[in-house]
Structures are given as C-alpha cells and as structure tokens.
C-alpha cells in the first residue's frame, strides 16, 4: 500500500493507518474552474409531482434558466417533468389552468429573463393548475455569472412550495480530487457544476469540513510531513494551521455554533478526541480511552459527539457528552460500523457498514434503532447529509472508478457525479447560507 492510499483509507474508512510521511512540496492555487462533473440519475421517488417548466422568455438566457431548473427538479427524483414544448409564456402571461391540467401538469413554472446593461433580472411565477391558484412569484437580479445560482434559488423555491421541505439546489459541496500525484480540494455547486480549486498539493488532503456559515473549510493536509488541521477562508483563500501538535492531527468537525472544533490527536500516543477553539486555543480532551477514538461529529444540539471507536474489539459508533463522561454504543447491527453522520434534525444516523465483504451505507433511526441499507457497495465511503436531510452524499467505486454519488434517504433515487480527469472522494455537503 502506498502512502497516499494508506492515508485515505484511515481517514475515510478505518481500514488502516500507515503513519505516512510525505515530503514533496505543496503548490498553492488561486480558485479556478476545473472540469465539470457529469451527473447520471437512476430511480424515482415514492411520490412524483407532475410539473411543467416552460422556457423562460429571454432568448438563450431564458432557455438556460429553465433548463437548470428542470435539471435540478429532475435530479431530486420527486418531480415528473411534463413537456412544455410550444408554450409561449412570459412572467405576465395569463394562464389557462385547464389546458395545463389537460397536459397532465399539476404545477406550472414560467417567467422572463430581462437585461439592463450588465444586470439581469429573472422573474418567475409558480401556479397550481388543479387549485387554479398562484403559489409563488419572485424576481432575482444579478450579473451574467450569477444566473446559474439564481436559477438554483428558483428551483429551491419551487421544491419548497410543493414539497414543504427546503430545497438544496443552491448549496455547495466540497471534495478532494486526485489526478495522478496531485490532490485538489474543490468546491462546486450541488449539481457538480462550477468547480473551483481551493487548494492544490502534491501531498494528501483529507477530511474537509464546512463551517456552519459556509465561509470556511477545515481540512487535513500532509504538506508538513504529517497530518495537520488547517482552516481556510473561502472568500480570501487565507489558511491557518490550527492543530499542529506532536503526532497526528486529524478528523476536524465543527460545532453547530461554529465556536468549537472537535479534532483527533495522537499527542499522547493514541488517537483521542479533543475540542478546541477555531483559533487553536482552549484545547481540552473529551475522555480517555485505551484504544482508538476518531471521526467525531457534533449532534445538532451541540451537546454530544458521535464517533467511531474500536474500544469494544471492532469499530462501532458511540456517543458521549461534549463535557465528557461515559460513552454509549449506538450501533449494534453488524460487526464493522464507521464514519457516522447525523441528519440535521438528529433523528437519523448514516454510516459505513461492512456486510458480506462489501462496504455499504446504512441509515439508522436514532430513537428506535431500526436500520436500512441504502447502497449496495462494494466500496462506499464518507457519507454526508444534505442540509435538508433528504439526501446523502458519499464517495463510491463504480466500475473500477472512484466517483461521488448521492442517494435519497429512502434509497430509491441515486445520482452519480463522475469526474473525467481523476478520482473524487472525501465529499461533504455544505450548509444553507441564505
């Protein structure tokens, strides 16, 4: 096993830790556009809402806006797109509800894109054809580069008005792309578009974690010859080492308030969980364990941590108060459960489980303990909930290639986001930011 593989395996799946020392130089890179991720979708939701998205008036820009909205809703698996070919509508058009109901569309979205100088305005309306009522009407303004983001925001509004759940199309994801011997920490839109490089290195980059306000990323870099935890501000690119103690520094996780980080340090000879302030001060050990504790995640109320430990003989997931105390085991199905992530409401736990030699994602109800296997493997890792709790982002090996994938929490709808020029892994879904 080479050093990079050992590092990745430890960080994402508890499979090994090589203690690798990587010594080549690191090259910083300003944010830049990279190759897009290709999206493939399979499956449909248990409920699908029939909706027509008419081409927005405004020539090419109007068509682009409507195509982005259609793609967003289609990826969710919860909408069935009704053909709107031939509709000549703008935001001020009078709607024949009966005509659109006759086409099979319970809902209709339409609008206009207008330009004044370098500014664009997207105006849209959403109507319920069955009830013959308007559900939403809003206008957003921005420059040409902002049109995609504004289109995602409209898709979010449509999703929420119809399902009652906040949409995540305008959120972002972070992940690590490995191309040859180069590692890149990238962020992209939730659909994989508009990727930007935050950091490029000849050394491994692992364990990215979004701050609750979406303005910073914590991650682990090996540029100093060992794992060190850094914080990086996305707007400026400024980065600071915040955990560079003796031994290994790894697995950063933000508290819900953003006022604390949980980290894993081996400064005392074995990997243990500590909390600290984001500036590196206030270090405190949470508990003492005779074996490895790692992969901490805060509960949504900020009062506890869930984490992975082999203290019982095999890796399982436990919970402990942030203030310390007795850890309680919370996974009991199977002999190998790692990489915990809690849903935003704290009601569900997703993790990687090994069943019959395959690494799969499992979803456990925190109250009752019932478990559902979400994926088939054979090598699924690093689960991360969408901020609305409806989907899980993860890395996967499919047909021999490392890709990012998304599954709905009922396992019915899956997306695969494939990079054309490398291996993508270590994904984490960013928070709501507006």
């Amino acid at each position: 096993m080479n050093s990079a593989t050992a590092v990745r395996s430890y960080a994402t799946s508890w499979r090994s830790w090589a203690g690798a020392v990587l010594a080549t130089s690191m090259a910083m890179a300003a944010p830049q556009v990279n190759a897009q991720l290709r999206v493939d979708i399979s499956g449909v939701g248990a409920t699908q809402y029939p909706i027509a998205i008419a081409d927005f008036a405004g020539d090419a820009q109007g068509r682009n806006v409507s195509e982005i909205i259609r793609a967003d809703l289609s990826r969710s698996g919860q909408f069935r797109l009704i053909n709107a070919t031939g509709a000549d509508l703008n935001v001020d058009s009078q709607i024949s509800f009966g005509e659109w109901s006759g086409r099979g569309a319970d809902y209709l979205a339409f609008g206009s894109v207008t330009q004044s100088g370098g500014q664009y305005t997207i105006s849209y309306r959403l109507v319920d054809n069955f009830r013959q009522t308007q559900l939403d009407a809003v206008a957003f303004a921005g420059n040409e580069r902002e049109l995609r983001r504004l289109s995602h925001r409209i898709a979010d509004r449509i999703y929420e008005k119809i399902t009652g759940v906040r949409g995540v199309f305008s959120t972002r994801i972070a992940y690590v792309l490995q191309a040859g011997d180069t590692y890149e920490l990238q962020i992209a839109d939730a659909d994989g578009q508009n990727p930007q490089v935050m950091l490029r290195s000849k050394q491994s980059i692992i364990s990215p974690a979004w701050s609750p306000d979406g303005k910073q990323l914590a991650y682990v870099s090996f540029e100093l010859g060992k794992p060190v935890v850094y914080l990086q501000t996305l707007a400026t690119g400024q980065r600071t080492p915040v955990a560079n103690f003796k031994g290994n520094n790894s697995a950063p996780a933000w508290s819900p308030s953003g006022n604390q980080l949980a980290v894993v340090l081996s400064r005392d000879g074995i990997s243990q969980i500590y909390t600290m302030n984001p500036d590196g001060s206030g270090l405190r050990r949470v508990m003492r364990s005779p074996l490895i504790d790692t992969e901490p995640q805060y509960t949504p109320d900020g009062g506890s941590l869930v984490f992975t430990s082999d203290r019982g003989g095999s890796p399982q997931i436990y919970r402990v108060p942030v203030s310390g105390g007795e850890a309680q085991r919370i996974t009991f199905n199977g002999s190998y459960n790692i990489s915990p992530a809690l849903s935003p409401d704290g009601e569900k736990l997703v993790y990687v489980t090994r069943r019959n030699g395959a690494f799969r994602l499992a979803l456990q109800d925190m109250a009752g303990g019932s478990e559902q296997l979400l994926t088939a493997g054979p090598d699924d890792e690093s689960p991360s909930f969408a901020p609305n709790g409806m989907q899980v982002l993860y890395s996967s090996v499919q047909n021999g290639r490392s890709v990012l994938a998304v599954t709905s929490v009922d396992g019915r709808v899956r997306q695969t986001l494939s990079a054309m020029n490398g291996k993508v892994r270590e994904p984490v879904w960013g928070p709501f930011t507006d």
Side-chain angles (χ1 to χ4, degrees):
M1 178 183 293
N2 63 34
S3 298
T5 300
V7 168
R8 180 183 73 85
S9 297
Y10 172 82
T12 59
S13 65
W14 189 284
R15 298 178 200 178
S16 67
W17 171 251
V21 176
L22 305 174
T24 55
S25 62
M26 184 275 296
M28 285 290 293
Q32 57 184 283
V33 173
N34 207 308
Q36 307 287 348
L37 295 173
R38 189 186 73 236
V39 181
D40 300 309
I41 308 166
S42 63
V44 297
T47 299
Q48 282 198 300
Y49 302 95
I51 186 170
I53 311 293
D55 281 345
F56 282 34
D59 298 326
Q61 294 291 8
R63 289 192 297 273
N64 289 340
V65 166
S66 49
E67 282 300 323
I68 292 168
I69 296 170
R70 290 185 191 115
D72 282 345
L73 298 178
S74 179
R75 285 199 327 277
S76 75
Q78 294 177 255
F79 291 84
R80 179 165 55 88
L81 296 181
I82 303 300
N83 191 341
T85 301
D88 184 15
L89 300 175
N90 62 57
V91 72
D92 297 317
S93 294
Q94 296 297 311
I95 300 303
S96 172
F97 297 110
E99 175 190 347
W100 288 100
S101 291
R103 293 195 188 194
D106 289 354
Y107 305 94
L108 169 67
F110 57 102
S112 302
V113 179
T114 56
Q115 181 183 3
S116 177
Q119 287 291 106
Y120 289 82
T121 299
I122 306 177
S123 304
Y124 115 102
R125 292 167 59 194
L126 174 68
V127 297
D128 182 324
N129 297 312
F130 178 75
R131 294 181 175 84
Q132 300 188 8
T133 58
Q134 179 169 287
L135 298 180
D136 195 24
V138 72
F140 293 114
N143 60 39
E144 186 172 5
R145 293 181 59 186
E146 295 176 300
L147 285 177
R148 172 172 286 274
R149 179 180 61 85
L150 298 178
S151 302
H152 289 318
R153 290 185 66 184
I154 291 174
D156 283 338
R157 293 182 68 95
I158 294 171
Y159 184 94
E160 184 170 5
K161 293 296 181 181
I162 295 176
T163 70
V165 177
R166 189 172 180 181
V168 295
F169 306 119
S170 59
T171 60
R172 296 185 293 177
I173 60 175
Y175 52 90
V176 176
L177 174 67
Q178 180 185 356
D181 62 353
T182 300
Y183 298 84
E184 293 179 350
L185 176 62
Q186 296 192 2
I187 62 172
D189 295 347
D191 61 358
Q193 300 297 302
N194 291 334
Q196 293 181 308
V197 179
M198 294 293 104
L199 176 67
R200 180 178 291 122
S201 176
K202 292 296 184 182
Q203 313 293 351
S204 291
I205 304 167
I206 60 175
S207 305
W210 288 92
S211 63
D213 61 8
K215 295 180 179 180
Q216 291 181 298
L217 281 172
Y219 55 86
V220 176
S221 171
F222 280 72
E223 66 202 66
L224 298 181
K226 68 172 187 177
V228 174
V229 177
Y230 286 79
L231 294 190
Q232 182 163 340
T233 301
L234 301 186
T236 64
Q238 181 180 359
R239 57 196 297 266
T240 306
V242 295
N244 184 13
F245 300 97
K246 180 183 70 174
N248 300 318
N249 309 264
S250 61
W254 293 85
S255 68
S257 67
N259 294 331
Q260 277 194 324
L261 285 171
V263 294
V264 175
L265 309 177
S266 65
R267 57 181 296 182
D268 296 324
I270 193 168
S271 294
Q272 300 283 273
I273 298 172
Y274 294 74
T275 59
M276 61 189 300
N277 300 324
D279 63 2
S281 65
L283 186 69
R284 184 184 65 83
R285 186 166 174 168
V286 175
M287 59 191 157
R288 295 186 179 273
S289 169
L291 295 173
I292 291 174
D293 293 342
T294 190
E295 300 182 315
Q297 295 289 321
Y298 281 86
T299 55
D301 63 7
S304 299
L305 294 165
V306 296
F307 64 97
T308 305
S309 178
D310 61 355
R311 61 180 62 198
S314 66
Q316 295 289 342
I317 298 168
Y318 294 77
R319 177 170 51 198
V320 67
V322 172
S323 58
E326 187 70 23
Q328 295 182 332
R329 180 173 166 179
I330 57 177
T331 54
F332 296 91
N333 296 302
S335 61
Y336 188 102
N337 298 306
I338 60 172
S339 303
L342 282 163
S343 61
D345 60 9
E347 294 182 358
K348 295 180 176 63
L349 177 76
V350 67
Y351 49 92
V352 175
T353 185
R354 185 176 63 194
R355 304 290 168 89
N356 298 320
F359 294 92
R360 307 169 65 179
L361 297 193
L363 186 75
Q364 178 174 304
D365 179 74
M366 289 292 285
S370 60
E371 183 193 63
Q372 175 188 0
L373 295 176
L374 295 180
T375 66
D379 198 5
D380 301 331
E381 298 182 337
S382 305
S384 174
F385 270 101
N388 66 359
M390 298 298 291
Q391 296 171 303
V392 176
L393 174 69
Y394 62 102
S395 65
S396 180
V397 175
Q398 298 179 6
N399 300 318
R401 301 183 62 238
S402 176
V403 300
L404 299 186
V406 177
T407 179
S408 58
V409 291
D410 62 6
R412 294 176 61 99
V413 183
R414 292 189 178 89
Q415 307 167 37
T416 300
L417 287 71
S418 304
M420 297 297 98
N421 60 342
K423 300 175 181 178
V424 283
R425 51 173 65 106
E426 304 263 353
V428 60
W429 208 314
F432 292 122
T433 56
D434 53 23

